[in-house]
Amino acid sequence: MNLTQKILSEHLVEGELEAGNEIGIKIDQTLTQDATGTMVYLELEAMGIKKIKTELSVSYVDHNTLQTDFRNADDHRYLQSIASKYGIYFSRPGNGICHQIHLERFALPGKTLLGSDSHTPTAGGMGMIAIGAGGLDVAAAMAGEPFYLKMPEVVNVYLTGRLQPFVAAKDVVLEVLRRIGVKGAVNKVLEYTGPGIKGLSVPERATITNMGTETGATTSIFPSDEITKKFLDGQARNGWKPLQPDENAEYDEIIEINLDDIEPLIALPHSPGNVKRVKDVEGIKVDQVAIGSCTNSSLRDLKMVAKLLRGKKVHKNVSMVISPGSRQVILHLIESKEIEDIVKAGARILENACGPCIGMGQAPPSKGVSVRTFNRNFLGRSGTKDAMVYLSSPETAVACAIYGEITDPRKLGNYPEIQLPDKFIIDDSMILPPSSHEKVEVVRGPNIKPLPEFKPLAEILEGEVLLKLGDNITTDHILPGGAKILPLRSNVPEISKYTFSIIDANFYERARKKNGGFIIGGHNYGQGSSREHAAIAPKYLGIKAVIAKSFARIHHANLINFGVLPLIFKEKEDYNEIEQGDKIKIILNGLEENILMKNITKNKEIILTHALSKREISIIKAGGKLAYIKNKR
Ligand code: MIC
Ligand code: SF4
């Protein structure tokens, strides 16, 4: 067996491990973050359980940390109280980014982790099966339900050689993206093996598994070896075990990468799959450099940044911002005095949080060029619609900050050696354990609104096409992040006003006036974030079905969970037979394989299909997963 099969078979509770089959797996650990978490805990409350049933669940606050009014602060209080009540650890705002802390303090080889954030696969760097999912699936896992997914194909990414100076783990994952693109690994796991992994520390492996998300992969994973053990020992943690694929393990596909051959790479606007060599885009003037995010904010990365900035100055036309991944990271930089090198160079130090990655401040100037060590550069995500956002390694980002233009980091001269400490500084005082008694008062602010109730699906769906979209529509298009909209995550009626606002400012009004309708999409509809608001808000506005050429995994599940039907064009060309404003009628006929859609305006008949399992059909018929779980209990 390969590694993925080994861990999945140990956790299998339903189905067979054959690619494409629906399987149910036991979830050992869950994580949530605040932007998706308020919804998760409202859902958990609606399920009516007393205590969570997982081995470990952690609620992090790292996204909505700008407190420009009462709303985010109220959410933090709600999250803290509800965690305490249900048996969940609570990582306080300022403690750091969920994935970074989870890797440092909780991730364990061989376990399963489900997180209400698409970058949960970060923990795959520790040799665990870590999957991002919609909030409702995470709530269900906490309630002891299995997590259902399509058994993925397993792709072996076989690494040989060694990274050359100034070439980083980030460049490895950018190379993967360059080769397979943003939908190259949908329903696949990227399993890294080969002699090349010996040269990669756990945080470097985590950078690679983190951004594997951008290929559409279900998750990415590394084996657990002596390097994993050393990292866990350094964190004073037990639970290490060796985990390797069998020698004769079989894979559905093999991608070979010789680390010696990789050069510094950079993703150009507005897609993480738009990858070029840094060398080929040198000279573009840079306005902002941002270091951080769950991809590149580890101690390894910030030590590198500090060493490269030592004795240098940030270019006068560049604003350089740094958000460390965790308190542990910053405590080490203080102890080693490397923080001084960063401050003296003129970088601006931000909070230990997601920050600019999710548009919580630090929007670039108009038409500004921003080079970021993050994982996503979707249009408008930075908060400035006409900004040009590039994604690179910390090494490349520092070179850009010093020279004021996109620069190959190999120009920086001597490549510093980074040594991770044998013993990390451990201070878990900002991780609050749950209460040991039952009586905890849950504190709710006025912005926290209960979940709207949704009706079961009708047999015949009728209405107008409200919007027709192209390929690779992201959840940032469907429901943007940013400092203005994120505080509304616990208020569905309010947040739904921003649905598709980045694409079409009149969408909300139109959907309201027409009493809902349909969305038409191209390939990979719903890529990116796990935010279920991208399904709930359209549902709230009366969207009955999204008809697309194909869907991204998490968003497909979220649509089902909230009773919006994801339908697929059987013949992809039929996408051309339908326009915005057309009146259509869909006859579901029990959701058989072929579904008839009549385009009444154009007097045409189109055959649609779907990728729903039997279980998912029952969920959608019940009107969504909450109703389905309630009916079952
Ligand atoms: C993101 O990177 O887009 C987020 C914000 O972390 C999301 C979750 C969210 O929208 O709250 C994700 O990746 O799942
Ligand atoms: Fe936070 Fe950005 Fe990571 Fe999402 S991708 S969890 S917003 S740091």
Side-chain angles (χ1 to χ4, degrees), residues 139-348:
M142 279 191 263
E145 297 278 327
F147 173 63
Y148 294 92
L149 74 161
K150 257 206 192 101
M151 175 62 196
E153 288 183 4
V154 185
V155 180
N156 182 206
V157 187
Y158 189 78
L159 304 181
T160 55
R162 220 189 154 77
L163 289 173
Q164 296 301 300
F166 291 103
V167 183
K170 179 67 159 277
D171 297 309
V172 178
V173 68
L174 287 172
E175 171 64 13
V176 173
L177 273 153
R178 190 184 72 78
R179 293 204 199 174
I180 68 174
V182 292
K183 56 183 167 66
V186 176
N187 290 327
K188 296 179 183 178
V189 172
L190 300 175
E191 185 171 314
Y192 288 82
T193 68
I197 66 172
K198 285 208 189 66
L200 299 170
S201 64
V202 169
E204 289 173 304
R205 295 173 181 186
T207 293
I208 295 172
T209 58
N210 168 286
M211 204 173 169
T213 297
E214 272 54 62
T215 65
T218 304
T219 189
S220 303
I221 187 167
F222 274 82
S224 164
D225 55 10
E226 285 303 314
I227 294 168
T228 323
K229 179 167 190 308
K230 187 159 182 275
F231 183 79
L232 276 172
D233 286 347
Q235 295 284 356
R237 298 198 31 228
N238 300 322
W240 177 78
K241 61 173 183 181
L243 262 179
Q244 298 285 342
D246 291 333
E247 263 189 26
N248 55 353
E250 285 185 10
Y251 291 94
D252 295 289
E253 228 177 280
I254 297 179
I255 297 176
E256 282 181 46
I257 297 180
N258 184 346
L259 300 177
D260 291 320
D261 296 341
I262 302 186
E263 293 193 52
L265 297 171
I266 189 161
L268 274 43
H270 299 282
S271 169
N274 198 1
V275 177
K276 297 274 173 327
R277 288 190 304 187
V278 176
K279 180 157 107 185
D280 295 336
V281 290
E282 272 190 317
I284 297 172
K285 204 179 135 294
V286 171
D287 303 285
Q288 181 189 56
V289 167
I291 309 249
S293 91
C294 53
T295 319
N296 281 122
S297 59
S298 68
L299 183 59
R300 181 264 166 215
D301 287 337
L302 292 208
K303 273 181 158 301
M304 175 61 76
V305 169
K307 287 199 156 51
L308 293 175
L309 282 177
R310 178 160 218 177
K312 306 260 175 51
K313 289 279 179 238
V314 172
H315 190 277
K316 69 177 183 349
N317 294 333
V318 175
S319 165
M320 184 183 201
V321 294
I322 297 184
S323 14
S326 70
R327 271 165 80 245
Q328 184 180 77
V329 170
I330 198 105
L331 284 170
H332 273 287
L333 296 178
I334 293 168
E335 191 189 64
S336 64
K337 294 211 165 63
E338 282 163 313
I339 193 80
E340 234 178 79
D341 299 323
I342 294 178
V343 174
K344 280 187 177 157
R348 302 161 67 179

Side-chain angles (χ1 to χ4, degrees), residues 33 35-36 63 99 116-119 213 354 357-358 375-376 381 475-476 486 489 528-531 533 554:
Q33 39 88 341
T36 54
H63 282 63
H99 307 302
S116 66
D117 189 280
S118 64
H119 290 101
T213 297
C354 300
C357 177
I358 188 57
N375 47 43
R376 288 184 177 148
R381 183 175 163 100
T475 50
D476 276 285
L486 276 166
R489 286 284 181 96
S529 144
S530 68
R531 62 190 72 156
H533 303 76
I554 304 179

Side-chain angles (χ1 to χ4, degrees), residues 383-432:
T384 304
K385 201 168 165 189
D386 57 10
M388 303 293 276
V389 178
Y390 293 72
L391 306 172
S392 79
S393 69
E395 286 83 339
T396 301
V398 172
C400 299
I402 293 172
Y403 287 98
E405 53 184 45
I406 294 187
T407 305
D408 190 314
R410 290 172 291 199
K411 289 224 171 95
L412 289 173
N414 286 339
Y415 188 60
E417 271 286 322
I418 305 295
Q419 284 285 343
L420 286 182
D422 288 333
K423 296 273 168 246
F424 289 91
I425 302 173
I426 304 207
D427 174 0
D428 288 334
S429 58
M430 283 181 85
I431 301 176
L432 308 181

